[in-house]
Amino acid sequence: MSGSSNFRPPAEDAWVHTYQTLLPQWQSLSHSRQSIIPISISRVNQFDAGRLDIEMSAMLKEQLVKVFSLMKPGMLFQYEAELDAFLEFLIWRFSIWVDKPTPGIALMNLRYRNERALEARGKVRTGLEGPGLTVAQKLWYCVATVGGQYIWARLQSFSAFRRWGDSEQRSVARGAWILIQRIEGLYKAASFGNLLLFLYTGRYRNLIERALKARLVYGSPNMNRAVSFEYMNRQLVWNEFSEMLLLLLPLLNSSSMKNLLRPFSKDKSSSSKEDDFACPICQAGPTVPFLALPCQHRYCYYCLRTRCAAVPAFRCSRCNEPIVAMQRHVNEPKQ
């Protein structure tokens, strides 16, 4: 009875006070667990998206150049930097500015997500949720990709035209050239470091995306990579076949192949008078006829000269005798 007499029930508001004290800690813990969802975006998809955007810009440029094909030759070349900047601005205006992915990014099922404004939300299901780019990020993206590339291209062409790199130039021009080269070297070194980080982490393909904290994530978690490799396979097969032909064709002698296949040919008109007057290499009448010695068959000078220069032991295409010399053919006067 003494123990029960010492027991005192807690105050009525003690549970409420404890609940209010622990609730913020529990909410912060639950939010931290929800926000940390490891996601892995395919690096190949991100690289392919950039490559597809470059190909799309090249296709648009090719079509635009055809519009000015009737203009003065060389005039469009002077404004090539402006043309590239205009096409890049069009792609940015109708994709990034209106919260849509570029054509290459859309084909790879990707989109830009603002990593700076990424916060824990009530419903985190896939880890791909998150707001898009802000207006400031879009404008800086345009300034860096369109304006920055245009200014750098114009600066390089102007410095090369003015020959700032020559030692005979003034010290100011020479110093500006050295500064441009150093800036370019630093940018390439930083891009290489960013590439290594991208290969390791899978985030931010270039320095612009890293500076803006614009990360590529999947637009839809249930969509596979919808790119057909049929065209790519055909292109690879054709490239390998053409390289094989370029390797084998110089090794084949057309005259020896004709002589080898001549017994199997059904056309017996090769011994006619008309064929005797035609060059056996180009099958046309010789404009400057020359005789192959000692067999004295007629050839075009260019055909016979090039074959003898290419093959030291060249044989006549008609009789298969070795040709040791060539002589100009003189028509006999008619009596």
Side-chain angles (χ1 to χ4, degrees):
M1 296 297 293
S2 61
S4 61
S5 61
N6 294 332
F7 176 75
R8 294 180 180 179
E12 295 182 357
D13 59 344
W15 295 104
V16 178
H17 179 70
T18 305
Y19 172 77
Q20 293 177 352
T21 304
L22 297 178
L23 180 61
Q25 300 179 4
W26 173 256
Q27 289 180 348
S28 62
L29 180 62
S30 61
H31 286 328
S32 63
R33 289 182 178 178
Q34 288 181 350
S35 61
I36 303 176
I37 296 181
I39 57 174
S40 178
I41 310 300
S42 174
R43 296 163 179 80
V44 177
N45 282 24
Q46 298 182 59
F47 274 128
D48 287 348
R51 188 62 187 174
L52 288 172
D53 286 335
I54 295 175
E55 294 295 334
M56 179 64 68
S57 179
M59 290 175 60
L60 293 176
K61 182 179 179 181
E62 182 181 359
Q63 297 299 324
L64 191 59
V65 167
K66 289 181 180 180
V67 176
F68 301 96
S69 60
L70 299 179
M71 298 180 63
K72 183 180 178 181
M75 188 183 70
L76 194 61
F77 178 75
Q78 301 176 359
Y79 303 99
E80 186 176 4
E82 286 78 7
L83 180 62
D84 293 338
F86 175 70
L87 293 177
E88 293 294 334
F89 175 79
L90 286 181
I91 294 176
W92 171 84
R93 172 61 182 81
F94 295 102
S95 59
I96 302 296
W97 178 249
V98 293
D99 293 325
K100 292 182 179 180
T102 61
I105 293 177
L107 286 175
M108 294 293 106
N109 184 31
L110 299 173
R111 69 176 182 90
Y112 276 120
R113 185 177 72 179
N114 184 11
E115 292 293 296
R116 292 178 178 175
L118 186 62
E119 297 178 355
R121 306 213 169 182
K123 295 182 180 180
V124 180
R125 297 175 299 174
T126 62
L128 302 176
E129 296 84 356
L133 301 182
T134 62
V135 176
Q137 286 177 316
K138 297 174 185 177
L139 292 176
W140 280 114
Y141 186 91
C142 178
V143 170
T145 56
V146 181
Q149 293 181 4
Y150 168 72
I151 294 174
W152 186 253
R154 273 304 180 190
L155 183 61
Q156 284 187 326
S157 62
F158 182 79
S159 61
F161 178 76
R162 295 289 183 175
R163 297 182 179 179
W164 288 359
D166 295 347
S167 58
E168 300 177 357
Q169 293 291 334
R170 301 187 304 272
S171 59
V172 177
R174 181 67 179 175
W177 174 261
I178 295 175
L179 179 62
I180 291 174
Q181 297 300 315
R182 289 181 178 177
I183 292 175
E184 185 177 6
L186 290 175
Y187 178 78
K188 291 181 178 180
S191 298
F192 179 72
N194 181 79
L195 176 62
L196 296 179
L197 288 176
F198 171 76
L199 294 177
Y200 180 74
T201 62
R203 297 184 179 186
Y204 312 120
R205 298 173 300 174
N206 48 52
L207 295 175
I208 298 175
E209 294 179 359
R210 186 171 295 276
L212 297 177
K213 294 296 182 181
R215 185 186 179 186
L216 285 174
V217 296
Y218 290 120
S220 174
N222 300 321
M223 184 180 296
N224 296 325
R225 182 181 178 182
V227 176
S228 176
F229 292 94
E230 183 179 358
Y231 174 76
M232 188 182 300
N233 292 336
R234 288 202 306 264
Q235 200 72 9
L236 290 174
V237 170
W238 172 248
N239 288 338
E240 294 298 329
F241 182 69
S242 59
E243 290 180 1
M244 183 184 67
L245 289 181
L246 292 175
L247 177 64
L248 294 180
L249 284 179
L251 303 178
L252 300 177
N253 191 346
S254 60
S255 60
S256 61
M257 294 297 294
K258 289 180 181 179
N259 294 330
L260 180 63
L261 299 177
R262 183 174 296 173
F264 305 98
S265 176
K266 296 181 180 180
D267 187 9
K268 301 298 182 181
S269 62
S270 60
S271 60
S272 62
K273 281 189 175 182
E274 295 181 358
D275 290 342
D276 289 340
F277 286 103
C279 174
I281 297 177
C282 64
Q283 302 298 328
T287 55
V288 183
F290 265 70
L291 297 177
L293 301 178
C295 62
Q296 296 190 355
H297 285 122
R298 294 206 312 175
Y299 288 83
C300 295
Y301 170 76
Y302 178 76
C303 296
L304 185 60
R305 186 67 178 174
T306 53
R307 291 303 175 92
C308 292
V311 183
F314 179 68
R315 293 178 175 269
C316 179
S317 301
R318 296 192 184 277
C319 59
N320 203 27
E321 290 187 9
I323 298 177
V324 297
M326 51 189 299
Q327 179 183 358
R328 186 180 181 89
H329 175 67
V330 180
N331 294 328
E332 297 180 358
K334 296 182 180 179
Q335 296 180 355

